[in-house]
Amino acid sequence: MARTGQQAAERRTVHPWDEILPAPKLAVYGFQHVLAFYAGAVVVPILLASSIKLTPQQLAYLINADLFTCGIASIIQSIGFWRIGVRMPLLQGVTFAAVSPMISIGLAEGGGVPGLRAIYGSVIIAGIFTFLVAPFFARLIRLFPPIVTGTVITIIGIVLLSVAALDAGGGGASQFTNPPTFGALKNLALAGFTLLVILLIYRMFTGFLATIAVLIGLIVAVWFEDGRPWVHRE
């Protein structure tokens, strides 16, 4: 009995970051995390490919390379070795901050495959440089108070509003359909409905349900879209 009580006390004192959740909760959290990660990881190659005029086949290759690289980086970050990796359960995604520089580099080389090669080379060189200066830069973190980092994150979010607006309107492809369907009422209604469901769950529930608000919102939105209440079915 004493041993059981001691084990229970140890479980209660485990920090939430170190707590190992039950398998069902881990599966749900992981699925939500992958969905949120996948959207951002795919949007960046699409924006890049459309800007430097890559073919659909080249875009598919770029997306596959992107996801493969993110997978390797996620394993390194989660497991870690030597002084590399945060050793936390996370997915290493793609940053939108590099989209504009990459597009400029690609266009400077004429776009297409030559532009993509120049982007690859630039990313490799930038990665090596960042890896080498990371230990020194880490010592400068204390010079960046929350007001600075918070402002940077806010600016990134504001920049991404255009991406969210494009998706809410029906996606980039909807601008070139005949007739164009971008900004159609059903697209905006579905986007607004999804956002409303997520916000309601987040505000009305606590604990586990609140933390999977995004997943529930996506599932409800897919079910709602599949029903298509605005389309008459024979």
Side-chain angles (χ1 to χ4, degrees), residues 6-30:
Q6 181 181 359
Q7 291 176 345
E10 290 177 352
R11 284 196 296 268
R12 286 194 298 268
T13 57
V14 173
H15 193 281
W17 283 13
D18 299 322
E19 181 183 2
I20 300 179
L21 299 175
K25 285 189 176 182
L26 285 177
V28 174
Y29 281 139

Side-chain angles (χ1 to χ4, degrees), residues 29-30 33-34 37 70-80 85-93:
Y29 281 139
H33 202 36
V34 169
F37 150 82
C70 286
I72 295 176
S74 298
I75 294 175
I76 294 175
Q77 286 277 41
S78 300
I79 299 177
V86 295
R87 293 172 174 81
M88 294 179 61
L90 55 78
L91 280 173
Q92 186 71 48

